[in-house]
């Protein structure tokens, strides 16, 4: 179970973007999936194409450092730092922040280009999932159409590996929704690509805010 204050991130999002009320159940489900994964010591992996690739990178940036809340390191970490690097410990403790482990598959330029050239470009995300996806991780897969082949293949490989999946799509959900390829499919209520992307941003910001609150909030 997640904290009530964590759920408030969903309700606040809907208050600011009333059109997203149709996604309320899926938004809450996505928050639960992500928080349960982190609670069990797993990581989040993100992917998408074009603007959605930038969104994948953006998500990682919000999770791997402080977003809205201070993320002070604990006493155990401080003790280890003072043992290993005593001269730098104060500097580290003052500036380093608690992280929610996350990585993007879109910025692996050498791997993606080599695999696209040598094997199959639409399987580059699936190849990465095969290599680094662990059971209990979460894949956040972003496709405005819901039909992006490389994203679909990544979702399928995630199921093979036991990785939980959250998809962000447009109104129809495309093949991702019709074929039930994601554990949670957030279909924002628009059909135009740029407007779908405009709604995806506050959605994934909310997911990051919720996860941060769950583990670093009061």
């Amino acid at each position: 179970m997640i904290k009530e204050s964590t759920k408030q991130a969903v309700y606040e999002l809907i208050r600011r973007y009333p059109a997203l009320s149709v996604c309320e159940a899926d938004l809450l489900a996505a928050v639960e999936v992500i928080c349960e994964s982190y609670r069990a010591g797993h990581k989040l992996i993100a992917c998408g194409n074009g603007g959605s690739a930038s969104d994948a990178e953006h998500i990682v940036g919000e999770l791997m450092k402080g977003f809205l809340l201070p993320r002070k390191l604990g006493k155990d970490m401080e003790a280890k730092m003072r043992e290993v690097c005593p001269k730098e410990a104060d500097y580290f403790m003052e500036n380093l922040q608690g992280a929610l482990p996350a990585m993007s598959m879109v910025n692996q330029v050498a791997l993606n280009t080599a695999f696209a050239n040598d094997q199959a470009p639409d399987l580059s995300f699936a190849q990465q999932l095969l290599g680094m996806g662990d059971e209990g991780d979460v894949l956040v897969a972003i496709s405005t159409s819901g039909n992006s082949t490389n994203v679909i293949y990544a979702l399928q490989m995630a199921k093979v590996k036991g990785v939980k999946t959250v998809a962000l799509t447009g109104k129809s959900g495309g093949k991702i929704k019709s074929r039930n390829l994601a554990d949670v499919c957030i279909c924002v209520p628009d059909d135009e690509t740029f407007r779908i992307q405009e709604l995806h941003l506050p959605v994934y910001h909310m997911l990051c805010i919720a996860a941060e609150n769950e583990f670093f909030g009061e």
Side-chain angles (χ1 to χ4, degrees), residues 33-44 63 100-102 211 215:
V33 166
I34 292 169
C35 289
E36 287 173 4
S37 176
Y38 276 135
R39 186 170 289 110
H42 299 294
K43 64 183 178 293
L44 183 146
L63 291 171
L100 293 166
F215 298 100

Side-chain angles (χ1 to χ4, degrees), residues 36-136:
E36 287 173 4
S37 176
Y38 276 135
R39 186 170 289 110
H42 299 294
K43 64 183 178 293
L44 183 146
I45 304 168
C47 70
N49 299 301
S52 298
S54 297
D55 290 334
E57 289 283 302
H58 192 161
I59 290 168
V60 172
E62 306 297 17
L63 291 171
M64 286 288 288
K65 61 171 183 57
F67 185 14
L68 299 184
L69 300 177
R71 301 190 190 179
K72 295 296 184 182
L73 302 181
K75 295 295 184 182
D76 289 345
M77 181 59 69
E78 181 178 5
K80 291 178 183 177
M81 288 182 179
R82 295 200 181 282
E83 178 183 353
V84 174
C85 44
K87 291 183 179 180
E88 294 83 6
D90 286 338
Y91 180 62
F92 285 178
M93 287 299 297
E94 181 180 351
N95 291 286
L96 292 177
Q97 302 170 317
L100 293 166
M103 58 196 307
S104 162
M105 296 193 289
V106 305
N107 206 27
Q108 306 299 320
V109 178
L111 172 59
N112 283 337
T113 54
F115 194 80
N117 184 65
D118 299 341
Q119 299 297 131
D122 57 1
L123 287 175
S124 60
F125 291 158
Q127 176 65 31
Q128 290 188 62
L129 252 296
L130 178 63
M132 68 183 177
D134 297 315
E135 185 173 355

